[in-house]
Amino acid sequence: LQSLLLFMASLVKSGLDKMKKGFTLVELLLVMGIFGILIALGSINYFSSVNQTNVGVTKDVLVADLRSAQNKAMSGAAVAGTPVDSWGIKLLESSYVIFPGPTYAAGATGNYVVQLPIGMTMSTSLPSSQVLFTKGTGEVVSYNSDADVITLSVGSSSKTIELNRLGVITSP
């Protein structure tokens, strides 16, 4: 009986040794490193697509605002009951201003400021960094075919908008 108990005790002990299962520190660190690499790659793709989306949406809003200013110029929209000969958009680095009249004046009645999203910049080759549309026809005043591009950028993502002398807006 004693030998049977010793034999059973030895089986239980060897069974317990086999049941001690787990991961070594090296295995855990390796798995955590792989997860870290996957998360880093995923976040790069995520933020890149967010930037592309932000630039695309901002470009669409700017194009809509350019068309709105052109429509106001063509229809002779008034400001505070006073007829206006032309409408334009002044392009700044991190914002733009829709303004009535032949020249941009900061703080003037009728100006509407649009801020770009944080981190986004705008550059242009337009003269005086503004687009001015004429009353009736909506043509671009003082059009220059070598200076007709607006570029929006954030990170490595960018979009361009081009205008022709008739005020037709394209965004390739």
Side-chain angles (χ1 to χ4, degrees), residues 80-132:
T82 305
V84 179
D85 288 341
S86 54
W87 281 82
I89 294 188
K90 175 70 172 176
L91 305 167
L92 307 168
E93 188 174 331
S94 61
S95 64
Y96 59 91
V97 182
I98 303 168
F99 66 92
T103 57
Y104 168 71
T109 304
N111 283 2
Y112 181 74
V113 179
V114 178
Q115 293 292 329
L116 298 179
I118 295 171
M120 187 171 300
T121 58
M122 180 168 30
S123 60
T124 183
S125 61
L126 293 164
S128 303
S129 296
Q130 69 181 22
V131 180
L132 189 63

Side-chain angles (χ1 to χ4, degrees), residues 30 32 35 57 59 64 68 70 73 77 83 89 106 112 115 127 133 138-139 144 157 163 169:
L30 181 65
M32 288 173 54
F35 278 134
V57 168
K59 177 200 62 116
S68 174
Q70 185 180 33
I89 294 188
Y112 181 74
Q115 293 292 329
F133 298 104
E139 292 182 8
N144 179 349
S157 301
L163 295 114
I169 303 161

Side-chain angles (χ1 to χ4, degrees), residues 19-101:
M19 291 181 73
K20 288 184 181 177
K21 294 182 181 176
F23 299 105
T24 65
L25 181 60
V26 173
E27 291 170 330
L28 290 173
L29 289 175
L30 181 65
V31 169
M32 288 173 54
I34 290 170
F35 278 134
I37 291 170
L38 291 175
I39 289 171
L41 292 175
S43 66
I44 290 170
N45 288 335
Y46 171 75
F47 288 116
S48 175
S49 64
V50 167
N51 284 345
Q52 289 174 350
T53 301
N54 280 344
V55 171
V57 168
T58 304
K59 177 200 62 116
D60 292 342
V61 170
L62 177 56
V63 167
D65 285 341
L66 283 164
R67 289 187 175 135
S68 174
Q70 185 180 33
N71 286 335
K72 286 178 180 182
M74 290 170 66
S75 67
V79 174
T82 305
V84 179
D85 288 341
S86 54
W87 281 82
I89 294 188
K90 175 70 172 176
L91 305 167
L92 307 168
E93 188 174 331
S94 61
S95 64
Y96 59 91
V97 182
I98 303 168
F99 66 92

